[in-house]
Amino acid sequence: MAPKFPDEVNVFLVPHSRMKDLVGNYMDQLSTADFRSSGALEHLLPLLENTFSEFKSHEHIENQYILEQLKQRLKLVNVTSTSVCNCHGDSQLVEILNLLRDGYTCTSKPISERISFGSQLQKVVSDFTQQFIPHMQEEEEIFQPLLMKYFAHEELLLLKQQVIQQHEIWKEKLVAQKETAENMLALLNTVASENNKIERENVVEAGFDNLPQEMMLHIFSYLNPLDRTRCAQVSKHWNMLIYSPQLWKVIYPTNWAKGHYDFQYRDPYTLVESEWKSKSMLEDNDDLMSDSEENLSSEAQKEIQCYEKFTMNALVRIGDGVQRLVVAGGLNLSSTILRSMLVLCPNIQHLDASYTNITDLSFKGLASKKACVQLEHLDLTGCRYVTDVGLERLGNCFRSELSESFYNSRCGSCCQSCKSCPKYSDPVSSAYNSNSSLAEEEVFSPGLLYLSLSGCTSVTDFGLQSLLEVTMEKESLHYMDLSGCPLISGLGLQMITEHSSRLLPEDLYYCNRIQEGPYPDEANGCQNLECPLRGCCCIDQ
């Protein structure tokens, strides 16, 4: 039984009621038809032709005004539905209409041929009915819930009104042109062409607000963030569209907080080069830290307020659509605000928090919020306050609750003698050999493709391997930069590269002080020499 939806937004209610009446009508007509009588056949054929022409028009209206809009909306939110894509093949209706047209020639033929025609017609119509009734039920049970989920209430009201109006237009056209049309198929083509012309004229006259929602969203997508927020103040309808998650797949909060209102990536190094020293001096001085709020410049205070307002007012509405979050260069971005951003963006795939002063607090409790599960690109370049604790918290986001972690059975920390420790090697072997299929089923994360911890000087083997456990199971890693991470051991790196078949030597960077590292002659050395912004073991931090 189809679920009950409010009648005012049930776009299938009125047309389906009409179609069910038509089914009852033609079933009665066919069950009582006398195909032996030429006169009875001449009377029946026009009635059936009108009926199945209306079915054809109903199909056309649903395709154009309901299913096409639903397809476009699902495409915008990256949802695939085979039911919607494979709906409404019209070969049966065309076959019935062609058969009815041929039926007029049977009125002058012998009784045996009229009876044969009647049997054929009843079979074709019966086959159609057996599929059409379940098809209407499928639309009510599958398509209507999708409409309720991805369309606003006002959109559904307008959509239902359009569907009913188009059915009335078709009826008027069929009545007005019935006598002059060569046959019903030609009539359908004529009406469809004229109807499309009327629709185009109405769109021009109606104005911007009557454009299809997908078109309005496409237009809004060309606006910068500042102009979008201005448009959101025009009306409730515009506000709803502006804050549609599909418009905000990529966001740059730091750029916007610094006054760059666009969707363009900027080199964070250039954003922080001038202010890094003064910020670091404040944070390295215990006396000044307590008064840091008072010492913040007006620009820094404004930047902090922008982060907070964007998170509280906008991100709570658009977060589900965000796939790429770039806060690179945000020296005034707090760990608490970044954590809130990550919680509100559950579908994030790309995180760039390079050149920030975030700490491990940014990733606290994210696993319990099911955040960062789909993360594939992680850039923490220059995040010198991130330690093993933060990486372990991020690593927990990638694991399912049921996953048996090979890492959890190791000793609790890394040491130089880990290679000879059976707890270090045995779980790895079991995870990747005897139990690889189980791990594949239980781990939902795709694993990291890109990782940069350049300048994270406190990171050790423990944190790195905690972060990359699922990534190694998936063997998904393509790029890794560990420049300025002197506490990573060569043996720890060897273990990672052994389970990273897609990581080429030319895409691997690590500290020059690491001994016995993988690909000693092919991998890249440290990229942070004499670079205080990213952190390097050769510089007094």
Side-chain angles (χ1 to χ4, degrees):
M1 185 176 184
K4 180 67 175 176
F5 296 102
D7 291 349
E8 61 181 356
V9 292
N10 190 340
V11 298
F12 296 106
L13 180 63
V14 174
H16 279 189
S17 297
R18 171 61 179 168
M19 295 304 108
K20 291 172 184 177
D21 290 341
L22 291 179
V23 170
N25 290 339
Y26 72 64
M27 292 296 289
D28 290 340
Q29 292 167 354
L30 285 174
S31 63
T32 59
D34 181 9
F35 292 99
R36 295 173 177 269
S37 170
S38 176
L41 183 58
E42 289 179 351
H43 175 72
L44 175 65
L45 288 174
L47 297 177
L48 293 177
E49 196 172 20
N50 288 340
T51 296
F52 285 98
S53 295
E54 188 168 346
F55 276 117
K56 189 71 172 65
S57 68
H58 165 75
E59 202 171 68
H60 172 80
I61 292 169
E62 280 196 343
N63 279 336
Q64 182 173 358
Y65 288 89
I66 300 178
L67 296 180
E68 187 58 35
Q69 290 202 42
L70 181 56
K71 288 179 186 177
Q72 294 298 323
R73 183 60 56 87
L74 293 179
K75 183 178 180 181
L76 285 173
V77 296
N78 292 323
V79 174
T80 302
S81 173
T82 56
S83 299
V84 177
C85 295
N86 298 328
C87 185
H88 278 183
D90 59 1
S91 58
Q92 282 187 304
L93 283 173
V94 173
E95 181 182 359
I96 293 174
L97 288 169
N98 285 334
L99 186 60
L100 291 172
R101 181 189 60 191
D102 296 338
Y104 287 103
T105 63
C106 291
T107 57
S108 59
K109 291 183 178 181
I111 294 177
S112 60
E113 293 193 28
R114 290 200 293 271
I115 294 176
S116 176
F117 168 78
S119 298
Q120 183 182 1
L121 179 62
Q122 287 176 328
K123 182 181 184 306
V124 173
V125 171
S126 176
D127 292 342
F128 167 77
T129 306
Q130 289 178 3
Q131 295 188 28
F132 185 71
I133 298 299
H135 168 69
M136 287 195 295
Q137 185 176 359
E138 178 189 39
E139 290 179 326
E140 295 168 4
E141 294 178 349
I142 298 179
F143 299 158
Q144 182 64 34
L146 288 174
L147 290 167
M148 296 287 291
K149 182 176 181 179
Y150 294 108
F151 285 75
H153 185 270
E154 293 78 8
E155 291 180 294
L156 292 178
L157 290 176
L158 179 60
L159 185 58
K160 181 178 180 180
Q161 180 183 356
Q162 290 176 332
V163 169
I164 295 175
Q165 182 181 15
Q166 290 305 313
H167 275 88
E168 294 300 322
I169 291 176
W170 274 88
K171 288 180 183 178
E172 293 174 3
K173 292 292 184 180
L174 290 172
V175 172
Q177 300 187 24
K178 179 181 176 182
E179 296 180 356
T180 58
E182 180 179 349
N183 56 57
M184 195 54 63
L185 290 177
L187 172 61
L188 289 170
N189 292 332
T190 302
V191 175
S193 177
E194 293 186 4
N195 188 51
N196 289 336
K197 181 179 178 181
I198 292 173
E199 291 167 8
R200 289 194 296 271
E201 293 173 353
N202 288 340
V203 167
V204 174
E205 295 174 358
F208 184 77
D209 277 336
N210 291 97
L211 290 174
Q213 304 296 331
E214 290 72 22
M215 188 177 296
M216 295 181 70
L217 286 171
H218 185 69
I219 293 172
F220 285 140
S221 70
Y222 287 97
L223 299 180
N224 63 48
L226 187 59
D227 289 338
R228 289 185 185 183
T229 57
R230 291 167 178 166
C231 288
Q233 302 174 35
V234 172
S235 67
K236 290 182 178 180
H237 185 207
W238 283 30
N239 186 280
M240 176 197 69
L241 292 175
I242 287 294
Y243 289 105
S244 297
Q246 58 264 35
L247 271 184
W248 303 86
K249 293 182 179 181
V250 181
I251 60 174
Y252 295 88
T254 293
N255 287 359
W256 304 338
K258 293 179 180 294
H260 305 294
Y261 300 110
D262 53 36
F263 290 93
Q264 306 225 348
Y265 177 80
R266 285 177 171 76
D267 181 8
Y269 193 99
T270 61
L271 293 176
V272 303
E273 192 171 10
S274 60
E275 53 182 311
W276 184 278
K277 269 190 177 180
S278 58
K279 184 74 176 178
S280 297
M281 287 175 60
L282 280 176
E283 294 182 347
D284 290 339
N285 190 311
D286 292 337
D287 296 330
L288 291 176
M289 278 295 290
S290 60
D291 300 325
S292 60
E293 289 294 330
E294 298 178 3
N295 289 309
L296 287 175
S297 65
S298 59
E299 290 79 8
Q301 294 178 16
K302 181 180 178 181
E303 184 178 335
I304 294 172
Q305 291 176 359
C306 286
Y307 288 131
E308 294 174 347
K309 289 181 179 179
F310 174 74
T311 303
M312 291 186 295
N313 299 331
L315 208 55
V316 292
R317 298 177 63 183
I318 66 175
D320 285 344
V322 176
Q323 297 178 4
R324 182 186 180 107
L325 171 62
V326 180
V327 290
L331 293 182
N332 296 296
L333 173 68
S334 70
S335 299
T336 303
I337 288 296
L338 178 58
R339 181 184 180 277
S340 298
M341 290 181 177
L342 295 176
V343 170
L344 292 171
C345 300
N347 300 312
I348 185 175
Q349 299 175 8
H350 179 118
L351 172 61
D352 185 350
S354 58
Y355 300 101
T356 60
N357 287 314
I358 61 170
T359 66
D360 299 327
L361 179 62
S362 303
F363 314 115
K364 183 178 181 180
L366 292 184
S368 63
K369 302 291 185 180
K370 300 188 184 304
C372 294
V373 176
Q374 300 300 319
L375 194 63
E376 297 179 353
H377 180 113
L378 177 62
D379 192 342
L380 298 180
T381 299
C383 297
R384 65 182 69 192
Y385 302 114
V386 172
T387 70
D388 288 351
V389 174
L391 298 188
E392 186 177 19
R393 289 170 175 173
L394 266 178
N396 289 334
C397 296
F398 303 150
R399 290 186 284 268
S400 69
E401 294 179 359
L402 300 176
S403 179
E404 289 294 331
S405 166
F406 74 85
Y407 182 76
N408 289 339
S409 61
R410 294 211 307 266
C411 52
S413 61
C414 179
C415 59
Q416 294 299 322
S417 61
C418 279
K419 186 175 181 181
S420 60
C421 174
K423 291 185 178 180
Y424 186 91
S425 58
D426 287 350
V428 176
S429 176
S430 62
Y432 290 110
N433 298 320
S434 63
N435 201 26
S436 60
S437 60
L438 177 62
E440 185 71 21
E441 291 178 2
E442 294 177 345
V443 177
F444 297 100
S445 167
L448 290 174
L449 305 181
Y450 178 104
L451 173 65
S452 177
L453 299 178
S454 176
C456 297
T457 54
S458 300
V459 170
T460 71
D461 287 357
F462 179 84
L464 181 62
Q465 292 164 12
S466 296
L467 173 66
L468 293 180
E469 177 182 335
V470 170
T471 297
M472 288 187 286
E473 291 178 9
K474 296 286 187 177
E475 297 204 15
S476 57
L477 193 63
H478 285 71
Y479 178 96
M480 182 167 66
D481 188 352
L482 300 176
S483 301
C485 300
L487 301 183
I488 302 293
S489 72
L491 298 179
L493 275 178
Q494 288 281 8
M495 195 271 279
I496 292 174
T497 56
E498 285 174 5
H499 298 99
S500 301
S501 58
R502 302 179 185 180
L503 180 61
L504 301 178
E506 56 265 31
D507 294 321
L508 173 63
Y509 302 79
Y510 58 87
C511 179
N512 296 343
R513 293 190 177 185
I514 295 177
Q515 302 296 318
E516 300 182 3
Y519 313 119
D521 298 326
E522 300 172 81
N524 299 282
C526 181
Q527 304 297 297
N528 298 356
L529 299 178
E530 305 301 325
C531 180
L533 270 68
R534 288 196 295 271
C536 177
C537 61
C538 299
I539 300 177
D540 185 14
Q541 299 296 319

